Amino acid sequence: MSMWNPRFERMPAIDLDRLQYRLAKTLAYRLYAFSPIYHARMREAGVHPDDIRSLADVKKLPFMYKRDLRDTYPDGLFTVPREELVRYHVSSGTTGKPTVVGYTERDLDLWTESLARALTSVGLSRGDVIQVSYGYGLFTGGLGLHYGAERIGATVLPTSVGNTERQVELMQDLGATAIACTPSYLLHIGEVAEKMGINLGRDTGLRTGILGAEPWSEQMRRHIQEWLGIRAFDIYGTSEISGPMFTECAEQHGIHIWRDIALIEVIDPESGEPLPPGERGELVFTMLQKEALPMCRYRIGDIAAILDEDCPCGRPHPRIERITGRVDDMLIIRGINVFPSQIEHALLELPEVGEHFQIVVDRKGALDDMLVRVEVKREAFSDKIADLMHIQRRVAHRLKNTLNVAVDVELVEPGSLPRFEGKSKRVIDKRVL
Amino acid sequence: MAADDYIIRQISVFSENRPGRLAAIAHALEEECVNIFAFSIAEASGFGVVRALVDHPDRAYERLTSEGFNVAFTDVIAVRMRDEPGGLFEIANLLGEAGVNIEYSYAYSGLDGGVLILRVDRPEDAIAAIRGAGKELIASSAFA
């Protein structure tokens, strides 16, 4: 199995421990010296960089939050002079003010290095044609994958998002072997291709998908792999940690987080206490080498677990399971936490309905009311009202079992729910709080 | 004529329960020059099923499917009935006595009498009972 950077990818765990400790301590000093906000937070917590005497001591350091980036908009957390920055990216700000991230030349290099390792680990190399159908521009996805793919010597087809028919034509004409995009956009591309009489698996050279930037599920992977005849890999990252930078390896079981680049923890989002491997909680990232915008114990807001066992691929770098939700996407329905991803998982097990859905939350009197719209599949359609009502009840029953909260289900016509190019927005919350 | 000749292919279309859906279906059929002999709408919570007997079911099926509709064919039978009091009773009673269950039904009343369209659980038995009683079934060829 080929590795991009065997020195780090195969580094023995004990050496990685030492390296992480050294890098984390340097990071603590850096923040103490150059970040007024984090300096104040360390003092408040009664921690000095000198107190970091082992890798375990990193847990003494205070957390950083998404709101820190917003509160110090645009660049209050940066620790290098402006001239050192070679690039900005800006997050879309769907949940509030946009957040600005900045990169030194070394930051970009390390981000690209991380992706070069990741892309190599899924089997891509020089000779591949990688279609980058993530948005180019302020979003990190397009440019991130672009440079990662170039680094390994692959040919980049920078289609960005949109103009889907053209994407399909170029994929065919230029022989794309891999595509990087959101899973929902790949489904859309697949549907558009089918309307053009093209099956991606049969009629193109596509065999690898690097899919992320939104939560998806194992069932969705199976569906994509069977339908489109490709291998689909999960990719992870957010702009605060640089951008998309970690993927699954060829095993397709968990996303490797390079220990020389990031130190990860999983905590209980309520108490902030660390959780043991295998238990699901909020991911916390300490980016060990970032210069422009150091992130220390950053509460990224995504829910996942660290996989306990060693990966058969032989890389002693921890893996996180697929992201199962966002701490802040969480809907609270009648006091119960509901993640849209749970609905997606449940629907994928019901062959009568499609994978697209829409959630409408409203308030009836004092009670929250949740409606889930799903598309009836053609194969499941019968002329009998009783059969359709049976499907409706079955979906409602399954969702109630999964979510522990009763939901109304509305059956809609196939293709009628919005398909998203980019991050899925599937929740309409009409509650006035 | 064989019993099969009386089995008529009805098209059934899944429709959301909101303004404009029936118009969309009707417009598609108009553009395909498909004529509707009879139709009905069955309604449930949030959705409905539009059922229709048309002169070109395959053309209707293809067009509606290409527009994204869920369409299915369903076998029904059509019986001519007297357009006067007791006409419906005659047919319904006939089927009841033959132990045939009517799943749903709709009717139209034309110049040459009424026609009852029936979806039943055992179409062969229904056809035999109706013909045995000397009532007139309409052959599927009459709709083409």
Side-chain angles (χ1 to χ4, degrees), chain A residues 223-256:
Chain A
H223 170 61
I224 286 171
Q225 295 197 150
E226 279 168 28
W227 179 38
L228 303 178
I230 64 170
R231 290 192 84 198
F233 297 90
D234 199 6
I235 183 165
Y236 182 70
T238 69
S239 64
E240 304 93 294
I241 66 168
S242 285
M245 65 185 329
F246 306 110
T247 68
E248 297 172 316
C249 63
E251 299 291 327
Q252 291 186 303
H253 184 54
I255 295 159
H256 281 284

PDB file of all heavy atoms in Angstrom, chain A residues 223-256:
ATOM      1  N   HIS A 223     -25.634   3.145  -1.321  1.00  0.00           N
ATOM      2  CA  HIS A 223     -26.475   3.547  -2.454  1.00  0.00           C
ATOM      3  C   HIS A 223     -25.616   4.155  -3.568  1.00  0.00           C
ATOM      4  O   HIS A 223     -25.743   3.776  -4.737  1.00  0.00           O
ATOM      5  CB  HIS A 223     -27.516   4.548  -1.960  1.00  0.00           C
ATOM      6  CG  HIS A 223     -28.295   5.213  -3.057  1.00  0.00           C
ATOM      7  ND1 HIS A 223     -29.081   4.506  -3.928  1.00  0.00           N
ATOM      8  CD2 HIS A 223     -28.376   6.514  -3.436  1.00  0.00           C
ATOM      9  CE1 HIS A 223     -29.624   5.353  -4.788  1.00  0.00           C
ATOM     10  NE2 HIS A 223     -29.206   6.569  -4.517  1.00  0.00           N
ATOM     11  N   ILE A 224     -24.737   5.081  -3.207  1.00  0.00           N
ATOM     12  CA  ILE A 224     -23.888   5.748  -4.198  1.00  0.00           C
ATOM     13  C   ILE A 224     -22.976   4.729  -4.884  1.00  0.00           C
ATOM     14  O   ILE A 224     -22.823   4.725  -6.109  1.00  0.00           O
ATOM     15  CB  ILE A 224     -23.055   6.868  -3.526  1.00  0.00           C
ATOM     16  CG1 ILE A 224     -23.958   8.067  -3.207  1.00  0.00           C
ATOM     17  CG2 ILE A 224     -21.878   7.284  -4.412  1.00  0.00           C
ATOM     18  CD1 ILE A 224     -23.296   9.142  -2.364  1.00  0.00           C
ATOM     19  N   GLN A 225     -22.399   3.839  -4.089  1.00  0.00           N
ATOM     20  CA  GLN A 225     -21.459   2.869  -4.661  1.00  0.00           C
ATOM     21  C   GLN A 225     -22.153   1.914  -5.627  1.00  0.00           C
ATOM     22  O   GLN A 225     -21.618   1.596  -6.688  1.00  0.00           O
ATOM     23  CB  GLN A 225     -20.749   2.102  -3.544  1.00  0.00           C
ATOM     24  CG  GLN A 225     -19.866   3.027  -2.721  1.00  0.00           C
ATOM     25  CD  GLN A 225     -18.826   2.294  -1.876  1.00  0.00           C
ATOM     26  OE1 GLN A 225     -17.759   2.817  -1.620  1.00  0.00           O
ATOM     27  NE2 GLN A 225     -19.135   1.080  -1.437  1.00  0.00           N
ATOM     28  N   GLU A 226     -23.358   1.465  -5.238  1.00  0.00           N
ATOM     29  CA  GLU A 226     -24.072   0.529  -6.107  1.00  0.00           C
ATOM     30  C   GLU A 226     -24.604   1.230  -7.349  1.00  0.00           C
ATOM     31  O   GLU A 226     -24.469   0.727  -8.459  1.00  0.00           O
ATOM     32  CB  GLU A 226     -25.244  -0.105  -5.344  1.00  0.00           C
ATOM     33  CG  GLU A 226     -24.793  -1.246  -4.462  1.00  0.00           C
ATOM     34  CD  GLU A 226     -25.893  -1.672  -3.504  1.00  0.00           C
ATOM     35  OE1 GLU A 226     -27.080  -1.503  -3.846  1.00  0.00           O
ATOM     36  OE2 GLU A 226     -25.540  -2.161  -2.411  1.00  0.00           O
ATOM     37  N   TRP A 227     -25.165   2.386  -7.128  1.00  0.00           N
ATOM     38  CA  TRP A 227     -25.826   3.090  -8.239  1.00  0.00           C
ATOM     39  C   TRP A 227     -24.806   3.614  -9.244  1.00  0.00           C
ATOM     40  O   TRP A 227     -24.976   3.486 -10.450  1.00  0.00           O
ATOM     41  CB  TRP A 227     -26.672   4.235  -7.665  1.00  0.00           C
ATOM     42  CG  TRP A 227     -27.394   5.051  -8.704  1.00  0.00           C
ATOM     43  CD1 TRP A 227     -27.978   4.586  -9.849  1.00  0.00           C
ATOM     44  CD2 TRP A 227     -27.592   6.462  -8.680  1.00  0.00           C
ATOM     45  NE1 TRP A 227     -28.549   5.640 -10.531  1.00  0.00           N
ATOM     46  CE2 TRP A 227     -28.320   6.796  -9.848  1.00  0.00           C
ATOM     47  CE3 TRP A 227     -27.254   7.475  -7.788  1.00  0.00           C
ATOM     48  CZ2 TRP A 227     -28.698   8.100 -10.144  1.00  0.00           C
ATOM     49  CZ3 TRP A 227     -27.639   8.770  -8.084  1.00  0.00           C
ATOM     50  CH2 TRP A 227     -28.350   9.083  -9.248  1.00  0.00           C
ATOM     51  N   LEU A 228     -23.730   4.213  -8.724  1.00  0.00           N
ATOM     52  CA  LEU A 228     -22.791   4.894  -9.619  1.00  0.00           C
ATOM     53  C   LEU A 228     -21.542   4.062  -9.918  1.00  0.00           C
ATOM     54  O   LEU A 228     -20.702   4.470 -10.713  1.00  0.00           O
ATOM     55  CB  LEU A 228     -22.397   6.249  -9.034  1.00  0.00           C
ATOM     56  CG  LEU A 228     -23.577   7.199  -8.740  1.00  0.00           C
ATOM     57  CD1 LEU A 228     -23.090   8.487  -8.117  1.00  0.00           C
ATOM     58  CD2 LEU A 228     -24.368   7.491 -10.010  1.00  0.00           C
ATOM     59  N   GLY A 229     -21.437   2.905  -9.261  1.00  0.00           N
ATOM     60  CA  GLY A 229     -20.307   2.023  -9.551  1.00  0.00           C
ATOM     61  C   GLY A 229     -18.954   2.619  -9.207  1.00  0.00           C
ATOM     62  O   GLY A 229     -17.976   2.440  -9.933  1.00  0.00           O
ATOM     63  N   ILE A 230     -18.893   3.385  -8.095  1.00  0.00           N
ATOM     64  CA  ILE A 230     -17.611   3.947  -7.680  1.00  0.00           C
ATOM     65  C   ILE A 230     -17.367   3.580  -6.215  1.00  0.00           C
ATOM     66  O   ILE A 230     -18.261   3.063  -5.549  1.00  0.00           O
ATOM     67  CB  ILE A 230     -17.605   5.498  -7.795  1.00  0.00           C
ATOM     68  CG1 ILE A 230     -18.629   6.102  -6.831  1.00  0.00           C
ATOM     69  CG2 ILE A 230     -17.900   5.926  -9.223  1.00  0.00           C
ATOM     70  CD1 ILE A 230     -18.521   7.600  -6.694  1.00  0.00           C
ATOM     71  N   ARG A 231     -16.144   3.823  -5.733  1.00  0.00           N
ATOM     72  CA  ARG A 231     -15.909   3.720  -4.289  1.00  0.00           C
ATOM     73  C   ARG A 231     -16.003   5.128  -3.717  1.00  0.00           C
ATOM     74  O   ARG A 231     -15.380   6.059  -4.227  1.00  0.00           O
ATOM     75  CB  ARG A 231     -14.533   3.125  -3.995  1.00  0.00           C
ATOM     76  CG  ARG A 231     -14.432   1.650  -4.346  1.00  0.00           C
ATOM     77  CD  ARG A 231     -13.162   1.052  -3.767  1.00  0.00           C
ATOM     78  NE  ARG A 231     -13.361   0.665  -2.378  1.00  0.00           N
ATOM     79  CZ  ARG A 231     -12.365   0.437  -1.510  1.00  0.00           C
ATOM     80  NH1 ARG A 231     -11.121   0.586  -1.887  1.00  0.00           N
ATOM     81  NH2 ARG A 231     -12.628   0.073  -0.272  1.00  0.00           N
ATOM     82  N   ALA A 232     -16.780   5.269  -2.661  1.00  0.00           N
ATOM     83  CA  ALA A 232     -17.025   6.589  -2.079  1.00  0.00           C
ATOM     84  C   ALA A 232     -16.319   6.699  -0.730  1.00  0.00           C
ATOM     85  O   ALA A 232     -16.471   5.831   0.131  1.00  0.00           O
ATOM     86  CB  ALA A 232     -18.524   6.804  -1.916  1.00  0.00           C
ATOM     87  N   PHE A 233     -15.519   7.746  -0.582  1.00  0.00           N
ATOM     88  CA  PHE A 233     -14.755   7.955   0.656  1.00  0.00           C
ATOM     89  C   PHE A 233     -15.212   9.234   1.349  1.00  0.00           C
ATOM     90  O   PHE A 233     -15.492  10.239   0.699  1.00  0.00           O
ATOM     91  CB  PHE A 233     -13.255   8.069   0.343  1.00  0.00           C
ATOM     92  CG  PHE A 233     -12.675   6.813  -0.255  1.00  0.00           C
ATOM     93  CD1 PHE A 233     -12.669   6.642  -1.638  1.00  0.00           C
ATOM     94  CD2 PHE A 233     -12.152   5.817   0.543  1.00  0.00           C
ATOM     95  CE1 PHE A 233     -12.146   5.485  -2.200  1.00  0.00           C
ATOM     96  CE2 PHE A 233     -11.626   4.655  -0.008  1.00  0.00           C
ATOM     97  CZ  PHE A 233     -11.623   4.489  -1.388  1.00  0.00           C
ATOM     98  N   ASP A 234     -15.211   9.162   2.654  1.00  0.00           N
ATOM     99  CA  ASP A 234     -15.627  10.302   3.469  1.00  0.00           C
ATOM    100  C   ASP A 234     -14.424  11.220   3.685  1.00  0.00           C
ATOM    101  O   ASP A 234     -13.310  10.741   3.950  1.00  0.00           O
ATOM    102  CB  ASP A 234     -16.120   9.753   4.816  1.00  0.00           C
ATOM    103  CG  ASP A 234     -16.994  10.745   5.572  1.00  0.00           C
ATOM    104  OD1 ASP A 234     -17.314  11.808   5.013  1.00  0.00           O
ATOM    105  OD2 ASP A 234     -17.360  10.436   6.718  1.00  0.00           O
ATOM    106  N   ILE A 235     -14.655  12.525   3.550  1.00  0.00           N
ATOM    107  CA  ILE A 235     -13.588  13.499   3.811  1.00  0.00           C
ATOM    108  C   ILE A 235     -14.079  14.454   4.884  1.00  0.00           C
ATOM    109  O   ILE A 235     -15.275  14.746   4.962  1.00  0.00           O
ATOM    110  CB  ILE A 235     -13.187  14.257   2.523  1.00  0.00           C
ATOM    111  CG1 ILE A 235     -12.018  15.210   2.805  1.00  0.00           C
ATOM    112  CG2 ILE A 235     -14.352  15.017   1.909  1.00  0.00           C
ATOM    113  CD1 ILE A 235     -11.325  15.730   1.549  1.00  0.00           C
ATOM    114  N   TYR A 236     -13.162  14.923   5.711  1.00  0.00           N
ATOM    115  CA  TYR A 236     -13.560  15.762   6.834  1.00  0.00           C
ATOM    116  C   TYR A 236     -12.649  16.964   7.002  1.00  0.00           C
ATOM    117  O   TYR A 236     -11.436  16.880   6.761  1.00  0.00           O
ATOM    118  CB  TYR A 236     -13.563  14.947   8.134  1.00  0.00           C
ATOM    119  CG  TYR A 236     -14.007  15.767   9.322  1.00  0.00           C
ATOM    120  CD1 TYR A 236     -15.335  16.177   9.442  1.00  0.00           C
ATOM    121  CD2 TYR A 236     -13.104  16.162  10.299  1.00  0.00           C
ATOM    122  CE1 TYR A 236     -15.749  16.954  10.501  1.00  0.00           C
ATOM    123  CE2 TYR A 236     -13.510  16.942  11.371  1.00  0.00           C
ATOM    124  CZ  TYR A 236     -14.846  17.335  11.461  1.00  0.00           C
ATOM    125  OH  TYR A 236     -15.245  18.105  12.507  1.00  0.00           O
ATOM    126  N   GLY A 237     -13.248  18.045   7.453  1.00  0.00           N
ATOM    127  CA  GLY A 237     -12.487  19.240   7.786  1.00  0.00           C
ATOM    128  C   GLY A 237     -13.391  20.449   7.762  1.00  0.00           C
ATOM    129  O   GLY A 237     -14.444  20.417   7.127  1.00  0.00           O
ATOM    130  N   THR A 238     -13.018  21.486   8.474  1.00  0.00           N
ATOM    131  CA  THR A 238     -13.770  22.734   8.439  1.00  0.00           C
ATOM    132  C   THR A 238     -12.755  23.850   8.238  1.00  0.00           C
ATOM    133  O   THR A 238     -11.546  23.643   8.421  1.00  0.00           O
ATOM    134  CB  THR A 238     -14.502  22.991   9.764  1.00  0.00           C
ATOM    135  OG1 THR A 238     -13.518  23.274  10.780  1.00  0.00           O
ATOM    136  CG2 THR A 238     -15.322  21.791  10.198  1.00  0.00           C
ATOM    137  N   SER A 239     -13.234  25.034   7.887  1.00  0.00           N
ATOM    138  CA  SER A 239     -12.294  26.123   7.591  1.00  0.00           C
ATOM    139  C   SER A 239     -11.428  26.456   8.817  1.00  0.00           C
ATOM    140  O   SER A 239     -10.267  26.810   8.666  1.00  0.00           O
ATOM    141  CB  SER A 239     -13.057  27.356   7.113  1.00  0.00           C
ATOM    142  OG  SER A 239     -13.885  27.857   8.139  1.00  0.00           O
ATOM    143  N   GLU A 240     -11.965  26.308  10.016  1.00  0.00           N
ATOM    144  CA  GLU A 240     -11.201  26.677  11.208  1.00  0.00           C
ATOM    145  C   GLU A 240      -9.946  25.818  11.379  1.00  0.00           C
ATOM    146  O   GLU A 240      -8.957  26.269  11.956  1.00  0.00           O
ATOM    147  CB  GLU A 240     -12.054  26.546  12.479  1.00  0.00           C
ATOM    148  CG  GLU A 240     -13.345  27.348  12.469  1.00  0.00           C
ATOM    149  CD  GLU A 240     -14.505  26.512  11.958  1.00  0.00           C
ATOM    150  OE1 GLU A 240     -14.476  26.137  10.765  1.00  0.00           O
ATOM    151  OE2 GLU A 240     -15.419  26.222  12.744  1.00  0.00           O
ATOM    152  N   ILE A 241     -10.014  24.562  10.925  1.00  0.00           N
ATOM    153  CA  ILE A 241      -8.826  23.716  11.068  1.00  0.00           C
ATOM    154  C   ILE A 241      -7.974  23.750   9.793  1.00  0.00           C
ATOM    155  O   ILE A 241      -6.937  23.100   9.731  1.00  0.00           O
ATOM    156  CB  ILE A 241      -9.172  22.269  11.471  1.00  0.00           C
ATOM    157  CG1 ILE A 241      -9.941  21.538  10.378  1.00  0.00           C
ATOM    158  CG2 ILE A 241      -9.933  22.240  12.792  1.00  0.00           C
ATOM    159  CD1 ILE A 241     -10.041  20.029  10.635  1.00  0.00           C
ATOM    160  N   SER A 242      -8.412  24.478   8.777  1.00  0.00           N
ATOM    161  CA  SER A 242      -7.767  24.735   7.487  1.00  0.00           C
ATOM    162  C   SER A 242      -8.764  24.551   6.364  1.00  0.00           C
ATOM    163  O   SER A 242      -8.882  25.376   5.473  1.00  0.00           O
ATOM    164  CB  SER A 242      -6.569  23.811   7.194  1.00  0.00           C
ATOM    165  OG  SER A 242      -5.451  24.202   7.975  1.00  0.00           O
ATOM    166  N   GLY A 243      -9.488  23.432   6.412  1.00  0.00           N
ATOM    167  CA  GLY A 243     -10.429  23.086   5.351  1.00  0.00           C
ATOM    168  C   GLY A 243     -10.551  21.580   5.349  1.00  0.00           C
ATOM    169  O   GLY A 243     -10.115  20.922   6.303  1.00  0.00           O
ATOM    170  N   PRO A 244     -11.128  20.994   4.279  1.00  0.00           N
ATOM    171  CA  PRO A 244     -11.180  19.539   4.208  1.00  0.00           C
ATOM    172  C   PRO A 244      -9.752  19.014   4.207  1.00  0.00           C
ATOM    173  O   PRO A 244      -8.949  19.448   3.382  1.00  0.00           O
ATOM    174  CB  PRO A 244     -11.883  19.268   2.881  1.00  0.00           C
ATOM    175  CG  PRO A 244     -11.688  20.515   2.077  1.00  0.00           C
ATOM    176  CD  PRO A 244     -11.645  21.634   3.062  1.00  0.00           C
ATOM    177  N   MET A 245      -9.391  18.149   5.131  1.00  0.00           N
ATOM    178  CA  MET A 245      -7.984  17.716   5.166  1.00  0.00           C
ATOM    179  C   MET A 245      -7.774  16.267   5.556  1.00  0.00           C
ATOM    180  O   MET A 245      -6.679  15.750   5.396  1.00  0.00           O
ATOM    181  CB  MET A 245      -7.127  18.659   6.013  1.00  0.00           C
ATOM    182  CG  MET A 245      -7.462  18.706   7.463  1.00  0.00           C
ATOM    183  SD  MET A 245      -6.519  19.937   8.447  1.00  0.00           S
ATOM    184  CE  MET A 245      -4.945  20.083   7.695  1.00  0.00           C
ATOM    185  N   PHE A 246      -8.808  15.586   6.037  1.00  0.00           N
ATOM    186  CA  PHE A 246      -8.639  14.187   6.445  1.00  0.00           C
ATOM    187  C   PHE A 246      -9.671  13.320   5.723  1.00  0.00           C
ATOM    188  O   PHE A 246     -10.809  13.744   5.545  1.00  0.00           O
ATOM    189  CB  PHE A 246      -8.839  14.050   7.952  1.00  0.00           C
ATOM    190  CG  PHE A 246      -7.968  14.974   8.776  1.00  0.00           C
ATOM    191  CD1 PHE A 246      -8.526  16.036   9.476  1.00  0.00           C
ATOM    192  CD2 PHE A 246      -6.597  14.777   8.846  1.00  0.00           C
ATOM    193  CE1 PHE A 246      -7.737  16.889  10.238  1.00  0.00           C
ATOM    194  CE2 PHE A 246      -5.796  15.628   9.601  1.00  0.00           C
ATOM    195  CZ  PHE A 246      -6.365  16.691  10.302  1.00  0.00           C
ATOM    196  N   THR A 247      -9.274  12.128   5.338  1.00  0.00           N
ATOM    197  CA  THR A 247     -10.224  11.204   4.697  1.00  0.00           C
ATOM    198  C   THR A 247     -10.082   9.808   5.294  1.00  0.00           C
ATOM    199  O   THR A 247      -9.152   9.536   6.056  1.00  0.00           O
ATOM    200  CB  THR A 247      -9.986  11.046   3.182  1.00  0.00           C
ATOM    201  OG1 THR A 247      -8.731  10.366   2.988  1.00  0.00           O
ATOM    202  CG2 THR A 247      -9.972  12.380   2.463  1.00  0.00           C
ATOM    203  N   GLU A 248     -10.986   8.954   4.888  1.00  0.00           N
ATOM    204  CA  GLU A 248     -10.823   7.537   5.161  1.00  0.00           C
ATOM    205  C   GLU A 248      -9.672   7.017   4.296  1.00  0.00           C
ATOM    206  O   GLU A 248      -9.348   7.614   3.279  1.00  0.00           O
ATOM    207  CB  GLU A 248     -12.089   6.784   4.768  1.00  0.00           C
ATOM    208  CG  GLU A 248     -13.304   7.192   5.551  1.00  0.00           C
ATOM    209  CD  GLU A 248     -14.570   6.557   4.991  1.00  0.00           C
ATOM    210  OE1 GLU A 248     -14.742   6.533   3.754  1.00  0.00           O
ATOM    211  OE2 GLU A 248     -15.369   6.095   5.793  1.00  0.00           O
ATOM    212  N   CYS A 249      -9.104   5.891   4.710  1.00  0.00           N
ATOM    213  CA  CYS A 249      -8.119   5.230   3.847  1.00  0.00           C
ATOM    214  C   CYS A 249      -8.859   4.180   3.011  1.00  0.00           C
ATOM    215  O   CYS A 249     -10.087   4.122   3.034  1.00  0.00           O
ATOM    216  CB  CYS A 249      -7.025   4.583   4.686  1.00  0.00           C
ATOM    217  SG  CYS A 249      -7.640   3.278   5.769  1.00  0.00           S
ATOM    218  N   ALA A 250      -8.124   3.357   2.291  1.00  0.00           N
ATOM    219  CA  ALA A 250      -8.756   2.363   1.417  1.00  0.00           C
ATOM    220  C   ALA A 250      -9.680   1.407   2.175  1.00  0.00           C
ATOM    221  O   ALA A 250     -10.539   0.766   1.574  1.00  0.00           O
ATOM    222  CB  ALA A 250      -7.685   1.578   0.666  1.00  0.00           C
ATOM    223  N   GLU A 251      -9.507   1.301   3.500  1.00  0.00           N
ATOM    224  CA  GLU A 251     -10.370   0.422   4.305  1.00  0.00           C
ATOM    225  C   GLU A 251     -11.802   0.939   4.376  1.00  0.00           C
ATOM    226  O   GLU A 251     -12.716   0.205   4.767  1.00  0.00           O
ATOM    227  CB  GLU A 251      -9.831   0.305   5.735  1.00  0.00           C
ATOM    228  CG  GLU A 251      -8.429  -0.284   5.849  1.00  0.00           C
ATOM    229  CD  GLU A 251      -8.404  -1.751   5.482  1.00  0.00           C
ATOM    230  OE1 GLU A 251      -9.411  -2.440   5.753  1.00  0.00           O
ATOM    231  OE2 GLU A 251      -7.389  -2.193   4.916  1.00  0.00           O
ATOM    232  N   GLN A 252     -11.992   2.221   4.095  1.00  0.00           N
ATOM    233  CA  GLN A 252     -13.319   2.854   4.170  1.00  0.00           C
ATOM    234  C   GLN A 252     -13.961   2.692   5.534  1.00  0.00           C
ATOM    235  O   GLN A 252     -15.163   2.455   5.658  1.00  0.00           O
ATOM    236  CB  GLN A 252     -14.267   2.272   3.115  1.00  0.00           C
ATOM    237  CG  GLN A 252     -13.887   2.651   1.693  1.00  0.00           C
ATOM    238  CD  GLN A 252     -14.926   2.186   0.704  1.00  0.00           C
ATOM    239  OE1 GLN A 252     -15.223   1.005   0.650  1.00  0.00           O
ATOM    240  NE2 GLN A 252     -15.475   3.084  -0.083  1.00  0.00           N
ATOM    241  N   HIS A 253     -13.154   2.799   6.564  1.00  0.00           N
ATOM    242  CA  HIS A 253     -13.717   2.634   7.903  1.00  0.00           C
ATOM    243  C   HIS A 253     -13.073   3.638   8.846  1.00  0.00           C
ATOM    244  O   HIS A 253     -12.074   3.330   9.491  1.00  0.00           O
ATOM    245  CB  HIS A 253     -13.500   1.193   8.377  1.00  0.00           C
ATOM    246  CG  HIS A 253     -14.143   0.898   9.708  1.00  0.00           C
ATOM    247  ND1 HIS A 253     -15.469   1.135   9.949  1.00  0.00           N
ATOM    248  CD2 HIS A 253     -13.636   0.425  10.857  1.00  0.00           C
ATOM    249  CE1 HIS A 253     -15.758   0.792  11.198  1.00  0.00           C
ATOM    250  NE2 HIS A 253     -14.651   0.367  11.776  1.00  0.00           N
ATOM    251  N   GLY A 254     -13.595   4.816   8.905  1.00  0.00           N
ATOM    252  CA  GLY A 254     -13.072   5.836   9.813  1.00  0.00           C
ATOM    253  C   GLY A 254     -12.071   6.749   9.126  1.00  0.00           C
ATOM    254  O   GLY A 254     -11.327   6.350   8.234  1.00  0.00           O
ATOM    255  N   ILE A 255     -12.092   8.005   9.560  1.00  0.00           N
ATOM    256  CA  ILE A 255     -11.248   9.034   8.958  1.00  0.00           C
ATOM    257  C   ILE A 255      -9.969   9.182   9.775  1.00  0.00           C
ATOM    258  O   ILE A 255     -10.028   9.456  10.983  1.00  0.00           O
ATOM    259  CB  ILE A 255     -12.035  10.357   8.924  1.00  0.00           C
ATOM    260  CG1 ILE A 255     -13.239  10.205   7.977  1.00  0.00           C
ATOM    261  CG2 ILE A 255     -11.153  11.525   8.508  1.00  0.00           C
ATOM    262  CD1 ILE A 255     -14.335  11.208   8.215  1.00  0.00           C
ATOM    263  N   HIS A 256      -8.838   8.994   9.121  1.00  0.00           N
ATOM    264  CA  HIS A 256      -7.557   9.115   9.835  1.00  0.00           C
ATOM    265  C   HIS A 256      -7.227  10.578  10.119  1.00  0.00           C
ATOM    266  O   HIS A 256      -7.264  11.414   9.212  1.00  0.00           O
ATOM    267  CB  HIS A 256      -6.419   8.535   8.990  1.00  0.00           C
ATOM    268  CG  HIS A 256      -6.355   7.047   9.024  1.00  0.00           C
ATOM    269  ND1 HIS A 256      -5.854   6.339  10.102  1.00  0.00           N
ATOM    270  CD2 HIS A 256      -6.717   6.115   8.121  1.00  0.00           C
ATOM    271  CE1 HIS A 256      -5.921   5.037   9.849  1.00  0.00           C
ATOM    272  NE2 HIS A 256      -6.445   4.874   8.649  1.00  0.00           N
TER     273      HIS A 256
END
